[in-house]
Amino acid sequence: MKKYLFFAASAALLMACSEKPGYDITGTVSDSNLNGKYVYLYTYGSNDAAPLDSALVQNGTFTLKGTQETPALRTLRFAEDVVEPVRANTGENAPFSATFILENGKLQATLGPSSSVKGTPENDALATLQDKIKATRQDWDKLIKDMKSEDKEVAEAAGKKLDEIDAAVTSFVKSYITDNNNKQSAAKLFYDFRYNLTEDEQNDIIAQADSVFKTVPGINAMIDHLNILKNVAVGKQFTDFEMADAKGQMHKLSEYVGNGKNVVLIDFWASWCPPCRREMPNLVNAYKQYKNKGFEIIGISLDSNADAWAKGVKDLNITWPQLSDLQGWKNAGAALYGVNSIPHTVLVDKDGTIIAKNLHGNELNAKLKEVVK
């Protein structure tokens, strides 16, 4: 009998050793209306592709099991006709959807108005960060509403508070990214917060990141974009291009820039862009103050409709030269200057050297006071 027990124990041990490790996702769904519906597992960044797996929600729970050879970003969500997609705040999960690191181990998914996946060190760290982001933004919706107030003081106070919250969130997200430059979750956040990070900050992060970080969807495009920006960095000569004015006549940028006469602000904007419209009165005032002192502005519009462009120029009292190829975000000049958000400004000295980028408001006024004599 002892001999039999020995062999039985040995066989069980061998079977256990031969079993591949796997993942076991236990999920809960807070909405009872989703009972009887399927939740799907997708490759992150490929939501149009077929799901990798699915699970039926029963009594508010579901289970997914499998084996994952290497950790990878995945997204859990319902079909769009079951849960209508909602755009989430940057860095947060959308309701009833969660992006996480799929890796072998026991994972716990919570899908609801606030969603998360926990159970492994990286997923736990990501969920903690997301909770911190959400807590910091607890007054976000009210402040957005207050910004639209007709009471100027209320609107300005709300705008200031929103900027403070945004800066705080960006600060601790940046810390997470730099502390985890070998993690896919950090790479996803890097992509999500790319508009909040300066060009120098992005270059520093990429320089330190490992190959796993760089495999995340979107990172290669960011690297390509940063390489374009190096060609139009501060201290470089401006890049020339040719584009039509509102009458269809072609002009080279060099007709206005680098001719030894003026300091020139190249302003990438569009009539449909609210931040551009908010900034325009400042540009109008700066132009009035400095246009006879060796200062010029050349507007590059990312409009795609000629009538909307013309109306924007008129309504905003723009009197400086304007060019556009009416290709929207595919604007050829914007591509050469790595423009992926507007308003985007490039300040060029009289000899064609780029001396500053993305100056707005008081920062632009201070710089013009320094360089335009």
Side-chain angles (χ1 to χ4, degrees), residues 158-177:
K160 182 179 179 181
K161 185 61 178 177
L162 282 169
D163 287 343
E164 291 173 357
I165 291 172
D166 201 40
V169 169
T170 300
S171 178
F172 53 72
V173 167
K174 182 187 172 186
S175 294
Y176 182 91
I177 294 169

Side-chain angles (χ1 to χ4, degrees), residues 191-223:
Y191 182 78
D192 290 346
F193 281 83
R194 61 195 183 280
Y195 299 125
N196 299 61
L197 300 169
T198 67
E199 185 179 333
D200 287 342
E201 288 172 332
Q202 291 184 41
N203 277 313
D204 288 344
I205 289 169
I206 288 296
Q208 299 298 320
D210 75 354
S211 58
V212 172
F213 186 104
K214 294 175 183 177
T215 61
V216 169
I219 302 302
N220 278 339
M222 288 187 68
I223 293 172

Side-chain angles (χ1 to χ4, degrees), residues 31-297:
D31 188 345
S32 60
N33 292 321
L34 293 174
N35 285 324
K37 306 297 184 182
Y38 281 90
V39 62
Y40 297 95
L41 180 70
Y42 288 91
T43 298
Y44 168 73
S46 302
N47 284 358
D48 292 335
L52 300 171
D53 202 353
S54 63
L56 182 67
V57 179
Q58 296 177 300
N59 298 319
T61 65
F62 66 90
T63 301
L64 286 164
K65 294 184 179 182
T67 300
Q68 184 65 27
E69 295 297 333
T70 58
L73 278 168
R74 299 286 185 258
T75 298
L76 281 170
R77 65 175 178 86
F78 290 88
E80 292 184 0
D81 60 345
V82 174
V83 175
E84 185 177 354
V86 176
R87 185 174 182 177
N89 289 327
T90 306
E92 299 180 39
N93 285 315
F96 297 95
S97 175
T99 296
F100 66 105
I101 302 298
L102 181 63
E103 53 189 330
N104 295 325
K106 293 187 179 297
L107 300 171
Q108 300 84 45
T110 302
L111 300 183
S114 182
S115 301
S116 66
V117 175
K118 300 178 181 179
T120 61
E122 185 171 0
N123 283 306
D124 290 350
L126 178 60
T128 297
L129 177 66
Q130 290 169 334
D131 287 343
K132 188 176 181 181
I133 292 172
K134 199 170 188 68
T136 306
R137 290 174 174 157
Q138 60 180 338
D139 298 325
W140 193 261
D141 291 340
K142 180 181 181 301
L143 291 168
I144 292 290
K145 184 178 179 180
D146 287 347
M147 265 196 72
K148 301 174 183 178
S149 172
E150 294 181 2
D151 187 322
K152 188 175 180 180
E153 289 186 3
V154 171
E156 288 181 352
K160 182 179 179 181
K161 185 61 178 177
L162 282 169
D163 287 343
E164 291 173 357
I165 291 172
D166 201 40
V169 169
T170 300
S171 178
F172 53 72
V173 167
K174 182 187 172 186
S175 294
Y176 182 91
I177 294 169
T178 54
D179 291 343
N180 296 278
N181 54 24
N182 60 343
K183 298 288 195 301
Q184 294 177 67
S185 60
K188 178 189 179 298
L189 287 166
F190 180 51
Y191 182 78
D192 290 346
F193 281 83
R194 61 195 183 280
Y195 299 125
N196 299 61
L197 300 169
T198 67
E199 185 179 333
D200 287 342
E201 288 172 332
Q202 291 184 41
N203 277 313
D204 288 344
I205 289 169
I206 288 296
Q208 299 298 320
D210 75 354
S211 58
V212 172
F213 186 104
K214 294 175 183 177
T215 61
V216 169
I219 302 302
N220 278 339
M222 288 187 68
I223 293 172
D224 291 342
H225 178 248
L226 288 169
N227 287 332
I228 290 173
L229 291 178
K230 289 175 183 176
N231 296 325
V232 288
V234 172
K236 295 278 190 177
Q237 283 291 111
F238 80 98
T239 298
D240 202 7
F241 59 84
E242 190 174 35
M243 201 163 284
D245 64 15
K247 295 180 180 180
Q249 296 178 340
M250 300 301 293
H251 296 273
K252 286 189 174 183
L253 188 62
S254 53
E255 292 178 33
Y256 312 94
V257 181
N259 55 19
K261 297 179 181 179
N262 298 312
V263 172
V264 181
L265 184 74
I266 307 171
D267 177 41
F268 293 92
W269 74 290
S271 65
W272 46 258
C273 165
C276 303
R277 298 182 76 96
R278 286 197 298 270
E279 174 64 12
M280 205 56 73
N282 182 61
L283 292 187
V284 170
N285 289 334
Y287 195 57
K288 288 179 180 178
Q289 183 176 355
Y290 293 106
K291 68 176 182 177
N292 294 323
K293 299 179 181 180
F295 175 62
E296 183 61 271
I297 302 176

